[in-house]
Amino acid sequence: MHVVVNAAMSADGKLSSRRREQIAISGDADFDRVDRLRADSDAVVVGVGTVLADDPHLTVKDENLRDERRTNGKPANPARVVVDSSARTPSSAEVLDDAATTYVCVSDAAPVEQRAALAEHADLITAGEERVDLLRAFAALQEQGIERVMVEGGGELIFSLFEAGLVDDLSVFVGPKVIGGRDAPTLADGDGFVENFPELELGEVERLDGGVLLTWRVAD
Ligand SMILES: NC(=O)C1=CN([C@@H]2O[C@H](COP(=O)(O)OP(=O)(O)OC[C@H]3O[C@@H](n4cnc5c(N)ncnc54)[C@H](O)[C@@H]3O)[C@@H](O)[C@H]2O)C=CC1
Ligand SMILES: Nc1nc(O)c(N)c(N[C@@H]2O[C@H](COP(=O)(O)O)[C@@H](O)[C@H]2O)n1
């Protein structure tokens, strides 16, 4: 399995504002790049915090890219995956529509009724006691034939994926905005590292949309 984390952050490292509302940090060129990355993936992964904040659809927007996938014998859209320990994803969430297969990864602690409601719209993967065990959940996804994984956020999930050693590549668009705020989400939130910091090797540096796209590889 190959896991790439992709996100857009402000010049001061924020994914959104303290209100946790979706903010367009990327411009058109970066959104096109993200669409291509989605089209090249078997699954697009987000945390439930992102579903509750943004209600994303996580589909491929460009019809030509969807056609290209079909021509290659793939479904029009990659699978969607929500990491959601307590099964809080609302039944009305955009990711639960029929545009793509959706997996919701829950823990043993998720209430039975909420799991049952979600199971009507999504394939459930149960891994972990209180919190989703990401190693087990990603292994279960791989058993479903998912090899190329794109993670779109948010900061809590991205930190946990680094902590679990699951990230291979990181691409970050740094946009020409300052958002600020000590409580605004950053690229990697969670508890943070105090030692054994994941080390990155710089790949590409590209000017884009008045900002810069940075591509990193996680060192072994
Ligand atoms: N600018 C960008 O590229 C993006 C920005 N965002 C922003 O990020 C914010 C949402 O991010 P967060 O609040 O950090 O939520 P998140 O999307 O990272 O989800 C975190 C939640 O996932 C669940 N979870 C289950 N197992 C977990 C595990 N092992 N590790 C971590 N989480 C686990 C927990 O309920 C946790 O609260 C929103 O403001 C959204 O707009 C989100 C995606 C991309
Ligand atoms: N790449 C990127 N740039 C930004 O400026 C963003 N705000 C985000 N947010 C992510 O995109 C998702 C929206 O997906 P849909 O358009 O609904 O398919 C959102 O949930 C974030 O994951 N990304």
Side-chain angles (χ1 to χ4, degrees):
M1 181 181 265
H2 183 268
V3 179
V4 54
V5 169
N6 182 84
M9 67 182 194
S10 57
D12 56 320
K14 308 296 185 187
L15 297 187
S16 176
S17 74
R18 69 174 192 274
R19 292 182 180 163
R20 293 187 177 255
E21 295 161 346
Q22 190 174 5
I23 294 180
I25 298 167
S26 304
D28 289 347
D30 192 54
F31 279 124
D32 287 349
R33 181 192 61 83
V34 170
D35 209 32
R36 161 56 72 184
L37 199 48
R38 283 184 183 179
D40 288 343
S41 303
D42 298 322
V44 180
V45 183
V46 293
V48 68
T50 296
V51 170
L52 296 173
D54 297 353
D55 194 16
H57 200 210
L58 303 181
T59 47
V60 175
K61 301 296 181 279
D62 182 341
E63 195 176 340
N64 294 323
L65 291 176
R66 293 198 302 272
D67 284 345
E68 192 178 296
R69 285 180 57 91
R70 287 194 199 93
T71 303
N72 291 329
K74 297 176 183 172
N77 290 296
R80 301 170 291 196
V81 180
V82 183
V83 179
D84 181 6
S85 305
S86 318
R88 289 188 292 151
T89 301
S91 296
S92 58
E94 292 279 357
V95 287
L96 297 181
D97 74 2
D98 58 7
T101 300
T102 300
Y103 297 92
V104 180
C105 304
V106 300
S107 73
D108 294 334
V112 174
E113 314 75 52
Q114 282 164 239
R115 280 198 230 190
L118 274 180
E120 289 183 21
H121 309 278
D123 294 344
L124 297 196
I125 291 172
T126 306
E129 290 178 11
E130 295 293 326
R131 215 171 188 211
V132 173
D133 178 329
L134 294 170
L135 284 171
R136 281 176 51 199
F138 275 45
L141 291 169
Q142 196 168 20
E143 281 172 20
Q144 299 299 313
I146 291 172
E147 290 293 341
R148 294 170 66 89
V149 175
M150 173 191 187
V151 178
E152 292 209 23
E156 292 284 338
L157 177 63
I158 293 172
F159 172 77
S160 293
L161 289 167
F162 274 109
E163 194 177 36
L166 280 165
V167 183
D168 296 297
D169 289 303
L170 170 66
S171 49
V172 187
F173 174 72
V174 185
K177 272 187 176 66
V178 174
I179 294 178
R182 66 184 68 81
D183 295 327
T186 71
L187 184 71
D189 288 328
D191 291 336
F193 296 104
V194 290
E195 57 186 6
N196 300 325
F197 305 101
E199 300 285 338
L200 306 175
E201 291 162 2
L202 186 61
E204 302 296 314
V205 179
E206 186 187 341
R207 293 178 75 109
L208 200 66
D209 288 333
V212 60
L213 174 67
L214 300 172
T215 309
W216 307 88
R217 193 170 314 105
V218 178
D220 293 331

